Amino acid sequence: MAPALEDDEIDNNDYYSLLNVRREATQEELKGSYRRLCMLYHPDKHRDPELKRQAEQLFNLVHQAYEVLSDPQLRAIYDIYGKRGLDVEGWEVVERKRTPVEIREEFERLQREREERRLQQRTNPKGMISVGVDATDLFDRYEEDYKDLPGGGFPHVEINKMHISQSIEAPLTTTDTAVLSGSLSTHNGNGGGNINLALRRVTSAKGWGEVEFGAGDSHGPLLGMKIFRNLTARCFVTAQCGLQFSSRGVRPGCTTVLARHLDKNTMGYLQWRWGTQSSMNTSIVRDTKTSHFTFAMQLGIPHSFMMMSYQYKFQDDEQTKVKGSIKSGFFGTVVEYGAERKISRHSVLGATVSVGVPQGVSLKIKLNRASQTYFFPIHLTDQLLPSAVFYATVGPLIFYLAIQRLIIRPYVRAQQEQDLEKHRESSASDIARKKQEAESAVLLMQESVRRIIETEESRMGLIILNAWYGKFVTDNSRRHERAKVIDVSVPLQCLVKDSKLILTEATKTGLPGFYDPCVGEEKSLKVLYQFRGVMHQVLSPDGEALRIPKQSHRIDADT
């Protein structure tokens, strides 16, 4: 007999899976599933003290799930935030008559209040390292100039500029934040640096203000102010003014940006800049799930231009994006194209080729690692050479594929295996508890399953002969791996009603009598059943809906 479950150990991460209903289930569907499970687990149906105790615990678990999903407010919280949303401190003082939107806002407010106690210890470091490389000698060199020079046969590649910047945030109070930032730059042997301190205060839900103080060895002291304000629900404005003190006097500057939501995915911007480089800029930005489009036009001194860019987002696990843009103005014309891809959990690698007149050809490589950015602009040639464009395009692609195959994939695979092993170790006790719970549920189902089988046999209905759930090894190249499955014939037969079995689109681990036999690995459900005296078989991926019987599951007599 399976050991009894402890009251404080009972837990389930998916109430919908436990009740075997859709996430869009109506109150009638919830009630029907709840009544059926109550009849199955009702304590009064069992005389054995141990079975009675186990039935009572499972009965209470089903009742808890039904109480949450049958209450519109609790169900809205559960759908948005899961069980953790139900446990947030402060929900007991929230009005019951709230809409889902109001519930979301209230939950976020309570979450903010819980985090306020930790703000003193939190920072938000951000940094950037940029290394400029001059590689024009690869394409622009003249052979006759190198014939008589020692080592003249090798092109000269050098680093001609560097830039390093770093910033950290220090919350002072719930509304005030200090931002300390600094940077160092060098270009062709000449360099400088600066340090800035900004104090930001959130004045209300509609806006905030910021005062900035700075100093540097090249520009002198800086005093600035920035304001953000929501004018309406669809429109906001930012204004930034500053005074730069130097040996040449005081240089004032001011920038104002007015933005408005044109529709759900489109923003319009108007920008005015006044100072040493005055200009007016207008742009439209449209960002959707699959694409990002920008159109901008600027009139100013000394730069006026028109720019258009488009980015396509692939819906894959690596979040691949390809992009292209064209920019034309008084300075010339520049065409850029490139791509970026997620190479690990916290890293994104991107490369962009820039071709323009009179800028020439450049390759820009960027690596974002968490909150740090590493940028490498490589200037290849001052001329429009097809060979430079070809190598700038093909070279990074070949290099990426080699690094992906030789370094990134083995590293990610090893990291995933390590994380999976840690997860297995940390969840070992929970899986053991789930296994006990599943075994207890199977014991409680025996009598109901016997009656269901008798009824189905009398009408030549649906009989579950064998059912397994877990990891199946079907690929010949993976024969060395061991299958990890559990027998779920009894739990599935218990769910048969009127010669039908319907499983909703959710993981099966939450179903009564199920547990996860292979944490972190892909799972499937394999069922061998008989209907109308004919054998059927189906292999269904975990998380997909399943309806049986089906004609497509039928096993031919020849096989």
Side-chain angles (χ1 to χ4, degrees), residues 197-367:
L197 174 64
L199 300 176
R200 183 184 304 158
R201 164 165 287 189
V202 178
T203 55
S204 67
K206 293 185 176 181
W208 50 267
E210 182 177 285
V211 178
E212 182 180 11
F213 306 92
D217 58 356
S218 58
H219 298 294
L222 168 69
L223 176 62
M225 179 183 298
K226 188 175 183 179
I227 298 174
F228 172 88
R229 180 74 177 179
N230 280 313
L231 302 180
T232 65
R234 298 167 60 92
C235 184
F236 68 85
V237 63
T238 62
Q240 182 175 2
C241 298
L243 296 175
Q244 184 76 59
F245 300 90
S246 66
S247 58
R248 299 179 181 179
V250 180
R251 293 186 298 174
C254 184
T255 301
T256 303
V257 178
L258 177 65
R260 177 179 173 80
H261 286 274
L262 303 181
D263 59 34
K264 181 180 178 181
N265 300 308
T266 308
M267 288 287 296
Y269 297 90
L270 283 175
Q271 176 180 287
W272 296 272
R273 181 184 289 115
W274 174 79
T276 56
Q277 295 185 353
S278 300
S279 65
M280 182 181 71
N281 182 294
T282 180
S283 59
I284 296 176
V285 179
R286 180 171 178 79
D287 189 21
T288 65
K289 186 178 181 180
T290 59
S291 65
H292 182 95
F293 174 79
T294 301
F295 175 80
M297 184 170 59
Q298 175 174 302
L299 297 176
I301 302 173
H303 297 302
S304 294
F305 64 85
M306 182 179 297
M307 187 271 291
M308 183 169 59
S309 69
Y310 179 80
Q311 182 182 83
Y312 181 78
K313 308 173 185 177
F314 291 89
Q315 303 303 304
D316 56 0
D317 294 337
E318 290 78 18
Q319 301 177 9
T320 307
K321 301 175 183 177
V322 294
K323 54 186 177 181
S325 68
I326 181 170
K327 186 176 181 180
S328 182
F330 294 160
F331 56 85
T333 300
V334 177
V335 176
E336 293 188 343
Y337 59 91
E340 69 177 43
R341 194 173 194 183
K342 187 175 182 180
I343 58 176
S344 69
R345 183 178 179 183
H346 301 291
S347 301
V348 177
L349 179 65
T352 302
V353 178
S354 177
V355 182
V357 178
Q359 289 84 353
V361 181
S362 299
L363 172 63
K364 303 173 184 177
I365 299 175
K366 180 184 288 187
L367 174 64

